[in-house]
Amino acid sequence: MNGLGNEILVVDMRDGAATMTGAVARAVAGEDRTAFEQMMVVYPPRADGTEAYIKIFNNDGSVAGACGNGTRCVAHFLNRATGKDHMTVETDGGLLEIFNAGGDLITVDMGKPRFGWDQIPLAEEFADTTGIELQIGPIDAPVLHTPSVVNVGNPHAIFWVDRDPDTYELDRFGPLLENHPIFPERANISLAQVLAPDRIKVRVWERGAGLTLACGTAACAVGVAAARKGLADRKVTIELPGGPLGIEWRADDHILMTGPWTLEWEGTLPENLLPGRAA
């Protein structure tokens, strides 16, 4: 499936007969037909009141705590399987509520953002995470500097730019910033240009996946970080290369993300990838 153009592979393991590993995820990502940015593995529920437990892999085999676009795709998959329009799923980043918003739109309650330096986490203490000391380029004329940082299931760093994010070499800066020592668990890197109080243009280098057409958690991170800095309203449209996402940071501190899903194809993974069965 895709959520605004990024490649999401939803793998149904609800029968509990096998377990996905990072090594297998990398192998699946290496095949042309099954190449993905995020793999959403759907397991039987572990927690009462949930519909499923979702394990999320990046295409390098690393584990992600959350994937907003992937969660919308899983929501459609589970809606079709169960007929339910309102469900709760569990991820390593916490519990997420998902709602059918009509048509091809899904709303996900992404929970509460975390702003503490040790919650993101950072390698050293910063009292103010609306802007930390980090830059790319010459000291006296940095290309990027003073990112806001926030955890929305994953660590995110947002660099505020005053020109089109497409004009920056994010493919060159992204790997350096993702793996900077200040981020012990690496980080998703976003360039954000505020176009209006309710509209922000964003480009994302995704941790473990690279440049992406869309990243739901990054859109959430940008929305709340912009509101914290007084750059935008608490309800904004985030314009990503793959299309727009609606982000609302409610008064109860929860983030609502609304966007589409698209089903591309369905099939069976090769049996030899998971010993003893086909997935």
Side-chain angles (χ1 to χ4, degrees), residues 190-229:
S190 295
L191 305 184
Q193 179 190 25
V194 178
L195 302 175
D198 62 351
R199 195 161 58 97
I200 306 173
K201 183 173 182 179
V202 177
R203 194 173 179 214
V204 183
W205 177 273
E206 195 160 6
R207 179 183 66 165
L211 285 176
T212 182
L213 291 174
C215 177
T217 58
C220 294
V222 169
V224 298
R228 279 187 89 203
K229 288 179 69 70

Side-chain angles (χ1 to χ4, degrees), residues 8-131:
I8 304 294
L9 189 65
V10 179
V11 181
D12 184 5
M13 288 188 167
R14 289 175 298 158
D15 64 8
T19 301
M20 181 61 66
T21 66
V24 172
R26 283 196 307 274
V28 173
E31 299 292 325
D32 288 343
R33 182 159 170 77
T34 54
F36 63 84
E37 293 178 46
Q38 271 75 42
M39 174 190 284
M40 312 291 290
V41 186
V42 185
Y43 288 113
R46 304 188 308 181
D48 292 342
T50 63
E51 195 63 41
Y53 164 61
I54 314 299
K55 190 76 172 180
I56 307 169
F57 290 92
N58 298 311
N59 58 21
D60 66 356
S62 62
V63 174
C67 175
N69 287 327
T71 301
R72 293 200 312 278
C73 293
V74 168
H76 166 69
F77 166 76
L78 290 174
N79 170 257
R80 191 177 64 175
T82 68
K84 298 179 180 179
D85 288 330
H86 178 200
M87 293 168 279
T88 300
V89 297
E90 179 189 6
T91 72
D92 289 343
L95 300 181
L96 301 177
E97 279 193 274
I98 49 183
F99 309 86
N100 187 335
D104 66 347
L105 294 178
I106 297 287
T107 296
V108 182
D109 182 341
M110 298 292 290
K112 299 179 180 181
R114 287 169 283 177
F115 302 114
W117 71 272
D118 54 341
Q119 297 173 317
I120 290 165
L122 302 175
E124 60 184 87
E125 182 174 354
F126 285 89
D128 182 5
T129 54
T130 60

